[in-house]
Amino acid sequence: MMHIIRAGRATPFLALLALALAAIPVRTQHVLVPMDDEQGNHLKAYGLMFSALKDGLRGEWLLNYRGGSFLLPDVQTLRRRAALDGVTLLGVDNATLAGVRAEIATANMDAVPLEKAPRIAVYTPPEAPPWDDAVTLALRYAGIEYTTVWDAEVARGDLTKYDWLHLHHEDFTGQLSKFYISYRGAPWFVEQQQRNLAMARQLGFGTIPELKKAVAERMRQFVENGGFIFAMCGATETLELAIAGRTVDIAGSFGDGTPIDENADSKMAWQRSFAFKEARLELSPFTNSMSDIDGHQVNVPGRRQPLGTFTLFGFSAKFDPVASMLVQDHRTVIADFYGVTTSFSRRTLKPGATILAEEEGAPWVKYLHGDYGKGSWTYLGGHDPEDPQHSIGNPPTDLSLHPHSPGYRLILNNVLFPAAKKKPLKT
Amino acid sequence: MLKLAILLLLVAARLTAAQASTPYDRALQLEAADKYRDAAIAYREALRVEPGNLPAMLGLERSYAQMGWTDSLLALLDTALTARPTDVTLRTIQLRTLRSARDDAAMRAAFEQWLRAAPKQHAPFREYAKILLQDGFSSAADSVLQRAEAAFGSGDGLELEAAQIRASMGLWAQSAEAWRKAVAGAGYLEQAAIFSLAPAPAAARDDLRKALLAVPLVVGARRIAAALELEWGFPRAGWDLLRALPPDSAGLAAWLDFARRAEEAQAWLVARDALMTAYARTGSAALASRAATDAMNGGDMRAALSISAALSTDTGAAALAVLPVRLRALASLGRAEEAARALEGARGRISQDQYARLARTVAWGWIRRGDLAKARAHLEVSDDEERDDPVYGWLALYEGDLRSARRMLTSQSESAPDLVAALALLARTKVDSAPAVGRAFLALARGDTSRAITEFEQSARSIAEIETLLLAAAARLAGAAHQDTRALAIWRGLAQGHPGSPEAPEAELEWARALHRAGQNSAAMARLEHLILAFPGSALIPQARRELELARANIPSTP
C-alpha cells in the first residue's frame, strides 16, 4: 500500500518523539554527506557510503533530509576518499547533530541505520565490458565492488552467495530481444547467439529459451528466499514473461524452432510472477516487442510513444522507509529515457506493486517495487538515464560528465537499500 | 524552401501584373501573400477543375501545412488517386500527409495499397522506407527494403535508401556496399556517403573498406574511402588509395578534392603530395605554390624550399607569389644569406611595404643562425618603420633585455605558445636584464631543443623569483622532445623541491602522466591522489580527477 505524505505533516506524537530524540545524548563528531544541490558528486557519495560499510563503519541514511543525506563517523580515511572523489562532506558537531535529529523527528524524514555492505552480483555475460549496462557503469564509477555471474553460476546455485542481484537487458524469453529481425547478419548478434547456444548445450538445454527460463526460475527462487533483485530495461519484462510462461512456448521459431503457442496468453501463470498480470504476448515474430507490458514500444512503428518526464512519489519516511530509500533524490521530476522496455503499463500491474515513479496522466509508470516471498524486487524501465535515445553502437556514457545524474541516483539507491537495518514496522 | 519562396514571389509578381486568370494562378498569388486560407480555397477550385493537377495538390499541401489542416488533404488525395492510382507524387503526398497526422496504421495501409496498384515500381518501397527512417524506425525501414529485394530479386534502384538505413543500424559493411553502388551513377552522393559512414567504429572499418574498394574499381567509392581515412585520422592511407589513379580528369578531380579535404584537416604533407601530383599533370604554378605553402605548414621546410625554388626561375607572377614561402623556408633553415639575396633580387618588383615585411622574415633567418647582430642590422637596412612588430620584442628578449622585451611583447595580441611562455616569464619578474634567459629563448628559436632545455635549467639558477617557471619550461620542452627521463627528473625535482610554487600542481600532474606512460599505473594513481589532496584549490583538480578515474578504469576511455 502506498502512503503519500507531504513534508511538514507531523503528528503530535511525532513531535513529542522528536523532543525525546533531541534529548538523547549523541555520538561525538560526525560528517554529513549532503545530497542536495550542495553535493559536489552525488554518485561518488554512494561509493563513499558503501566503502564505509565495507570498512566496518556504520552510518545512517537521513531520508528526505537534504536530498537523502548520509551521516557517517568522522574518520580520516573517509575524508581522504571524499577529497579524492570530490564528494562534499560537512563536519557536524554534537549540537548541530542534535538539531538535525530534531528536524528529522518533526518532519517527514527518518534516519535509517546502514550496517553492512551488501554482496552484489550482476548478471552479465563474462566478457561484457562494464559500459554495456547502466548499473555496472554506475557501480564502477562510484567505486562499489560487485561480482559478475552468468548462466553457469546461476545454474549451480551461486546466487545464494549474494544479497543483491542486478539484471539489465537480457531477454529471458530466449529470443535475444528479437534483434534477429534486423541484425541477424551483424557479427555481434551472431556471436551473442552462438555464445548463448553454447551455454545452453553446456548446461544440458536444447534451446536458448529453455536455458533462460531455467535461469529465470532460479532468480525467482532467489527472491522468494530473501534476495533483492533490481532489473532495468528489457530484463524487467522478459523476466516476468519467463517466470509466468515457465511451461508455455512463448518464443518464436527463431528462438526454439517452433512457433509461439497461439494460446499462450491464456496459459500464463501470472500468480508466479513478481509485478505483472494478464499481459498480452506479442505473437508476431516480426514485431519487435515482447508484450504489452512496455508502454512505450520503442521498436514498433505505429506504437512508439514519445518520451516525457516522470515524477518520483514522496513517501512517508517513517512508515514506508523502503520506498522512501528508493526515491531519495535531489530532483523529483526526471527526463524519461528509452530502453527495450521503457515503462510499465498500469493495466498489467499487480495490486501489490508499489509505484515509485510515474508519468502523470500517462497509461504507464516508470519505477516499481514490491515484496515477493522473503525478498523484494525493483524495476526501473529504460536503458541509460543519461542516454535517452540509446541505440545499438552508441558510445558508452562517461559518468564523470554526469556526477549529479538524478536518474543514476535511483540505481544507486537500490544498491544501498539492502544495507539498511530492518526496523519493525510502525503500522 | 528559400528557392520555393523566391519562385512563389516571382510568379506572384508576374501574375499581379498580368491579373491572375486561373484558380491555380490566383492560389499561387494568395500563397505568396501568406493568405493560406484563401490560397487553399483557390487550390481546391483548381483541383475541382482538374483533379490530377499535381502543382495544385502540392500547393494545397503547403497551405494546409501552414494552417495545421494537413489531414484535410486526404479526401482530395483519395479522389485524385482513384483516377491516377500509380502516380508517385500523389502517393508520396499521401504518405507524408498520413505521417504528419501520426496515423501509422493508415500510412502502412496506404503503402500496401500503393504496392498493389504498382507492383513493379520501386517508389513505394523507397518512399515508405524513407519515412520510417526519418522517424527513427531503422529496422522497420530495413524490413521494407528486404521486402523489395525479395520482390525484385535484387536491391537495384534502392541503393541510396539501403545505404542510409544500414548505416543507421550500424551495419557498416552492408551500408558501404550499398553506397558503392549508389555513387557509381551519382557522384553527387559522395559527401552524403562520407557523412553516413564516418561514424563507423574502428572495429567495423576493415570490412567497410573492403566493401568500398571491391573490384571492379569505382572511382567515387575510392574517393569516399580516401576521405574516410582522412576523417578517421589516417591521411596517408587515404592518399595511398588515390595516388595510383590514372592521370585523367577523374583522377585529377579526385586529387584536388582530396587535397582540399586534407588542408581542411591540416594534414599538410599529404595535401602537398596530392597537389604536387596534380601539378605534375597540369603544370599549374598555382597548385605548386599551394603545395609549397602546405609543405611549410607541415614543417617540411626543405620540400617547401625545393618547390618554391623551382617556381622562382619563373619571371612572371608565380615567382613573386611564392617568394614569401621561399624566404620563410630559407629563414627556417638558417640560410639567411640566400634569403637576403633572394629578397634583393626581387626588390625592384615588390613594394616598399612588402620589402620591409619580407626583410623581417629574413631577419628571422639570422636569428635562426644565432647571429642577433646581423638580424638587427638587416632590419635597420630595410628601413622598417613598424617598430612594434614582434621581431623587435623577440630580439630584445634574446639579447637578455627583459625591460625592452616586456614593453614590446606585451602589446602583442597573438597567442602563440612561445609568446605566452615569454609573457608569463616577463610578468613574473621585475628583473630588467637576464642574458641567460635570453640564451634559453634563443636556443628555442633556433630549433635547438636540447640546448634550450639545458639553458632554461641553467638560467633557473640565475633568477630565484622565476626559478620554478624556468624549470617548468625546461620540463615541458623535454616532454615535447620525448626526453621522458629528463622531463620526469625536472618535474619530480619541482614537485619535491618546490611544493609551494605555482608550478607544483602541474609538476605533480606531469609526473603522474610520465609514470602512466612508463606503465607504472599504481605509482601514477598515487601521484594523482597526492595532487588532489595537496592542492585542492588548483585549477588542475578536475583534470587530475578525470585521469585518476581513467587510471582506475572507472570510466570508459574515449579515443
Side-chain angles (χ1 to χ4, degrees), chain A residues 24 40 73 87 222 268 287 296 301 330 352 371 373 376 402 420:
Chain A
I24 295 171
V87 175
F222 167 73
M268 298 291 275
T287 300
H296 279 75
H330 55 296
D371 295 328
S376 68
H402 307 279

Side-chain angles (χ1 to χ4, degrees), chain A residues 15 61 73 88 94 97 107 136 154-155 256 266 270 280 316 333 361 378 416-417:
Chain A
W61 199 346
T88 306
N94 291 343
L97 183 58
T136 47
V154 175
D256 59 6
S266 61
W270 290 110
R280 288 186 284 263
S316 162
V333 179
T378 308
L416 217 46
F417 108 90

Side-chain angles (χ1 to χ4, degrees), chain B residues 219-440:
Chain B
V219 174
R222 191 160 281 247
R223 284 167 54 132
I224 293 167
L228 286 172
E229 296 292 358
L230 203 53
E231 288 271 334
W232 295 335
F234 306 108
R236 183 59 63 187
W239 173 235
D240 286 344
L241 293 174
L242 297 180
R243 65 192 317 157
L245 285 177
D248 54 15
S249 58
L252 179 64
W255 297 330
L256 291 176
D257 179 63
F258 185 79
R260 179 185 57 78
R261 291 178 191 277
E263 284 173 341
E264 283 170 6
Q266 300 193 348
W268 302 111
L269 299 184
V270 167
R272 171 203 62 191
D273 291 351
L275 288 168
M276 285 307 286
T277 307
Y279 169 64
R281 158 82 164 75
T282 62
S284 159
L287 290 180
S289 175
R290 222 171 107 195
T293 306
D294 287 349
M296 194 174 63
N297 289 336
D300 187 351
M301 295 301 169
R302 290 186 192 285
L305 185 59
S306 156
I307 300 166
S308 57
L311 290 177
S312 64
T313 55
D314 189 314
T315 52
L320 285 184
V322 86
L323 182 62
V325 176
R326 190 172 172 223
L327 293 183
R328 272 185 66 190
L330 285 166
S332 294
L333 294 166
R335 289 158 67 171
E337 292 96 336
E338 282 176 70
R341 277 201 301 276
L343 179 59
E344 286 311 310
R347 188 163 197 166
R349 291 180 289 155
I350 56 177
S351 69
Q352 184 57 32
D353 280 353
Q354 283 174 309
Y355 180 82
R357 200 162 50 247
L358 293 172
R360 292 197 286 275
T361 305
V362 177
W364 276 108
W366 291 113
I367 291 170
R368 188 84 177 168
R369 283 266 292 274
D371 194 337
L372 299 181
K374 280 204 173 147
R376 199 170 273 288
H378 193 85
L379 289 172
E380 299 296 333
V381 170
S382 71
D383 198 21
D384 189 358
E385 290 178 357
E386 288 193 37
R387 298 283 169 170
D388 61 346
D389 188 274
V391 71
Y392 291 97
W394 284 111
L395 266 176
L397 180 64
Y398 300 147
E399 289 162 348
D401 177 3
L402 303 195
R403 183 189 173 89
S404 303
R406 191 176 293 118
R407 180 169 49 80
M408 289 188 269
L409 287 178
T410 47
S411 62
Q412 298 305 316
S413 56
E414 286 177 42
S415 56
D418 285 359
L419 182 60
V420 171
L423 292 176
L425 177 137
L426 294 167
R428 278 269 288 273
T429 180
K430 291 179 179 164
V431 169
D432 283 340
S433 175
V437 171
R439 282 197 298 277

Side-chain angles (χ1 to χ4, degrees), chain A residues 51-74:
Chain A
S51 75
L53 297 174
K54 194 91 184 155
D55 292 345
L57 298 173
R58 291 182 178 195
E60 290 174 65
W61 199 346
L62 307 184
L63 303 182
N64 293 350
Y65 180 78
R66 298 193 61 176
S69 306
F70 300 113
L71 186 70
L72 283 162
D74 191 352

Side-chain angles (χ1 to χ4, degrees), chain A residues 44 79-87 130-131 137 140-143 181-188 286 288 297-306 391-393 396-401, chain B residues 102-105 128 132 135-143 146 168-171 174 199 201 207 525-526 528-533 536 541 545-546 548-550 552-558:
Chain A
K44 290 272 190 187
R79 281 191 178 268
R80 183 177 187 278
R81 178 164 176 160
L84 288 174
D85 288 347
V87 175
W131 331 126
L137 265 173
R140 195 80 176 217
Y141 178 66
I181 295 172
S182 307
Y183 295 101
R184 61 199 160 282
W188 63 266
F286 299 107
N288 201 335
Q297 303 282 329
V298 66
N299 288 322
V300 189
R303 291 192 208 162
R304 182 197 288 188
Q305 300 300 312
S391 299
I392 289 167
T397 297
D398 180 347
L399 281 183
S400 69
L401 304 175
Chain B
R102 296 179 59 83
D103 190 345
D104 297 294
Y128 187 48
L132 288 171
D135 287 349
F137 295 112
S138 308
S139 53
D142 192 46
S143 301
Q146 284 173 25
S168 74
M169 295 171 72
L171 300 171
Q174 291 94 320
D207 288 341
M525 286 194 280
L528 289 167
E529 289 182 358
H530 182 259
L531 162 57
I532 295 166
L533 296 172
I541 295 304
R545 282 210 178 99
R546 186 169 174 75
L548 184 58
E549 295 297 348
L550 285 167
R552 288 171 171 170
N554 280 347
I555 53 174
S557 58
T558 43

